[in-house]
Amino acid sequence: MDFVNTSFIMLCSLLVLLMTPALAMFYSGMVGTKNTLNTIMNGFIVFGVITLQWIIVGFSLSFSGDNAGIIGDFANFALAGIAGYNDDGVPNILFMLFQMMFALIASAIITGSLVGRVKLGVLVVFLLFWSTIVYDTLAHMVWGGGFLESRGSLDFAGGGVVHISSGVAGLVGALLVGARKTPASTSGAHSVPYAFLGAILLFIGWLGFNAGSAGAVNEIAVNAFIVTIISAASGFLIWVLLEWVKHKKPTVLGGLSGLVAGLVGITPGAGFVSIWASVLIGMISALVCYFGLFYIKYNLKWDDSLDAFSLHGIGGIWGGVAVGLFASGTVNPAVVEQGALGEGLLISGSYELFFEQIFAIVVCVALSGIASFVIFKGIGLVTDLRVKEEVEQEGLDLRLHGEKAYDMKE
């Protein structure tokens, strides 16, 4: 055991674990009081459900064996045979736990598209199937020795595996479940300070998400830590400026959306791009997410409730493209040593990595989109996907959980 690297991955695992309740807190602040607790439950139920899925089959399907470059096997079923240490001196059981945190947050992101109208049981069943069919498959393809990794595509901390896949799944779910029927006055943000605190805790956890993906205490982890902060700052600032110019009223929730956009955009390239590239990545991520969000919400009128696709899907797609533009062998020698495609287009002038990134993005979108559609349709054959209209009108907190977030009595 390397005690320094092991301590580092333990800390990063703790930080990434923080992301799931922080996201539930962030989401719940942005909904009405009558759905506050349901939103928290939807986001945090993954801690129980996906944890068990991961230790039984998820880790094995992602990181053991290989079947046609698409999925692993059951060699590590129920954590069998994972004693020992990896090349960085980190216990394999700890590596399993660190990766589990990624599976948790990916599933939690999806729930933001469906707040205020989906049945909890439907959501649990969907997430179990989705995590097994989509997340585990993509994790193997990209990180577990699958065909995308073999082809040379790069995804440092989950731009495609986590963000594109979850954003697309959320959008498909929102379209199939249907829009909310509650008035905007009762479904909007009930506590902006609460959402702010959740977003900042999410941001802090994200540093473990990206830096920990280096696998050890080294220059790449330091680079990932730094560019994550800088990209988040760039995204935050650009979103605030856009609102200031367009609406004359910069909002806290808008700024938080920019913060998340910057974080999503840098995630796939955090260990591959320079500081100055991260400034551009964060800025452009905020721009594309801002205009994508408004087009989806106000032109297409799709009810992606808390903008999971607009931020994570669109931001993840841009982040994957940005790797093809800015990946540098100076930052990470693996860009040229292991990924035989070479450096990014704007670094080396080579189109190979750029087009490989586009291909990987298409695979992520197609797999998550098709599988999510099939899973939701399959569940819909057995039960309604959404709650009854009277339950939605009264609020899911009382009707589904028998409790209220706030006691308003004197």
Side-chain angles (χ1 to χ4, degrees), residues 65 107 138 140 152 175 188 231 319 349 374 402:
S107 293
L138 288 176
H140 181 77
L175 294 176
S231 182
V374 172

Side-chain angles (χ1 to χ4, degrees), residues 184-215:
S185 59
T186 62
S187 61
H190 84 279
S191 177
V192 175
Y194 194 84
F196 175 80
L197 181 55
I200 296 306
L201 292 174
L202 182 66
F203 176 25
I204 293 170
W206 214 303
L207 298 175
F209 188 84
N210 286 0
S213 294

Side-chain angles (χ1 to χ4, degrees), residues 227 230-231 234-235 238 261-262 265-266 273-288 318 322 325-326 346:
V227 299
I230 291 173
S231 182
S234 299
I238 289 298
I266 197 61
V273 304
S274 69
I275 289 175
W276 292 109
S278 73
V279 175
L280 290 174
I281 290 171
M283 288 181 172
I284 296 173
S285 189
L287 285 168
V288 296
W318 158 243
L325 297 175
F326 299 111
L346 298 182

Side-chain angles (χ1 to χ4, degrees), residues 132-148:
T132 304
I133 297 169
V134 177
Y135 183 85
D136 297 344
T137 300
L138 288 176
H140 181 77
M141 287 180 179
V142 175
W143 296 326
F147 86 101
L148 290 178

Side-chain angles (χ1 to χ4, degrees), residues 5-24:
N5 288 342
T6 298
S7 298
F8 174 63
I9 298 302
M10 288 181 69
L11 173 61
C12 290
S13 298
L14 178 62
L15 289 171
V16 186
L17 174 60
L18 175 64
M19 293 178 70
T20 297
L23 183 70

